[in-house]
Structures are given as C-alpha cells and as structure tokens.
Amino acid sequence: MSADPLNRAGTPQRGKTSRPPEGEAASEIEVRRSARRRRTVSAYREGGRTVVLIPARMSEAEERRWVSVMLDKLAAQESRRALGDTELAERAERLSAQYFDGRARPASVRWVTNQNTRWGSCTPVEGSIRLSHRLQGMPEYVVDYVLLHELAHLLVPGHGPDFWRLLEAYPRTERARGYLEGVAAAARLPHPPQGTRGE
C-alpha cells in the first residue's frame, strides 16, 4: 500500500470525525473512505482539521495506523517548510514554559550542518543549543523531543536519573527516541548495488 499525501482524488463513501491519537495536537481529524480508492492514502489540512483519505475496504486497525503515518508526514512537511532559527528559538521557549516551567533559558538555539553523529548538543556554560540539520523534515514531535533533551541539559548536566525524570513530562519521549533509533539503524543498513533489486 502506498501513501500519496498529494493525491486528493476519490469520492468519500462515508465520513468519520475522530480525535487525534494521544499526544497529537488538539485538532480534529476527519477520515474519509472511498470505494474508488484502491491503494493510496493521502491527507491534507483544511482549516483547523486534518482530512485523511483511505480506501473503503481498509480495516479499523489499518485506518488507525495510516492516520498516524499521515499525521507524521504532514508534520514533517510543515516542519521542513517553516522552521528557521528564529522559529526554533521560539519553539524552545514555548517547550521550556510548557514542560520545565520556563526554567530552561537558552541564550541561542540554531540549526547546524556539522553534527552528523549527534541529533543535538548543548553547551550549558554558554546557554547555547544546536540541532543537527538532519532533523529538518522529521515529525514535529521528534524535533520537540530533541529540543527538550537539550533544554534539560541546561538544568541537569549528564544523563542521570534526574535528567530522565525531567523528560518524563513530555508524553512522546519514547516514541521520538524510537523514531530516531530507527533512522540511525536504517542509515547503517547496507545498500544494494545499483541495478539490483531486493527480493
């Protein structure tokens, strides 16, 4: 089954509005099933809601899985389009206020292109946070997790129990860590020689 977030074709067979999965932004999600749609799944934003178009024959479990996948794809597209250094710093300030009562106050937050083995870094003495450009285009909850991770280092150096207790406040910590571990593992996979196809 392929995902095509730009394909909006298909006459809805039935509509259903549901709440987002736990931890998602508090916007409505409308799932539209279409008998004309055979394989593609797509999604787009429409005002304050997200519309996800799926084949009519899809099971409820497949629907839940694809809604989550498409929300991540849309978030990645939006993150790729909009997040510069200024927005990144503003986002860090909002996250600090929301999860750390505003106690983590970085002097600077910016994207860098020289971090290929780490997702982010923090220099507490200077109050500077740097995120790897490789995060650009990843889902928002992943970028937020890395920002929170580095903000936490402004409060607690190292990765001891106090540090991880701070991050427990963010409900998507485990999911974000799993996503980043998957990206890192995929980067280590051997690539087949050009001109061959995997079975």
Side-chain angles (χ1 to χ4, degrees):
M1 190 172 292
S2 63
D4 179 7
L6 301 178
N7 181 2
R8 298 183 187 183
T11 305
Q13 183 184 38
R14 72 172 179 88
K16 182 177 87 174
T17 301
S18 58
R19 300 304 303 164
E22 191 175 332
E24 290 292 341
S27 63
E28 282 190 355
I29 298 169
E30 181 180 340
V31 177
R32 295 181 188 167
R33 291 176 174 262
S34 170
R36 289 176 41 193
R37 212 172 255 276
R38 297 283 180 230
R39 297 175 52 90
T40 60
V41 176
S42 64
Y44 59 94
R45 305 284 193 206
E46 190 175 79
R49 66 185 172 154
T50 302
V51 177
V52 181
L53 306 171
I54 64 173
R57 63 174 171 72
M58 193 173 276
S59 71
E60 292 293 320
E62 288 175 309
E63 175 184 316
R64 283 191 299 275
R65 183 174 71 83
W66 276 105
V67 165
S68 179
V69 166
M70 298 313 290
L71 287 172
D72 286 349
K73 282 181 176 290
L74 285 173
Q77 289 170 354
E78 290 161 357
S79 178
R80 202 165 34 242
R81 281 195 302 264
L83 216 55
D85 286 349
T86 302
E87 293 87 2
L88 197 62
E90 290 169 357
R91 194 169 186 159
E93 187 178 333
R94 283 194 306 272
L95 289 168
S96 175
Q98 184 175 356
Y99 294 102
F100 301 147
D101 298 321
R103 293 179 296 131
R105 295 189 184 111
S108 67
V109 183
R110 62 192 173 92
W111 295 108
V112 294
T113 58
N114 62 350
Q115 288 189 15
N116 294 315
T117 59
R118 294 190 290 183
W119 298 113
S121 62
C122 174
T123 307
V125 175
E126 298 172 2
S128 62
I129 290 174
R130 295 159 306 280
L131 296 193
S132 171
H133 71 287
R134 296 178 304 139
L135 288 164
Q136 291 175 325
M138 289 190 188
E140 288 182 8
Y141 74 90
V142 176
V143 176
D144 286 352
Y145 164 73
V146 177
L147 269 174
L148 281 165
H149 185 107
E150 302 310 331
L151 286 165
H153 279 308
L154 293 175
L155 304 173
V156 178
H159 292 99
D162 290 341
F163 174 84
W164 292 112
R165 264 193 293 279
L166 280 175
L167 286 179
E168 284 175 4
Y170 184 56
R172 303 190 81 181
T173 290
E174 289 307 312
R175 185 173 181 191
R177 290 183 72 190
Y179 185 100
L180 292 171
E181 287 169 7
V183 169
R188 291 190 297 269
L189 289 174
H191 298 286
Q194 284 189 336
T196 63
R197 291 167 51 168
E199 296 301 319

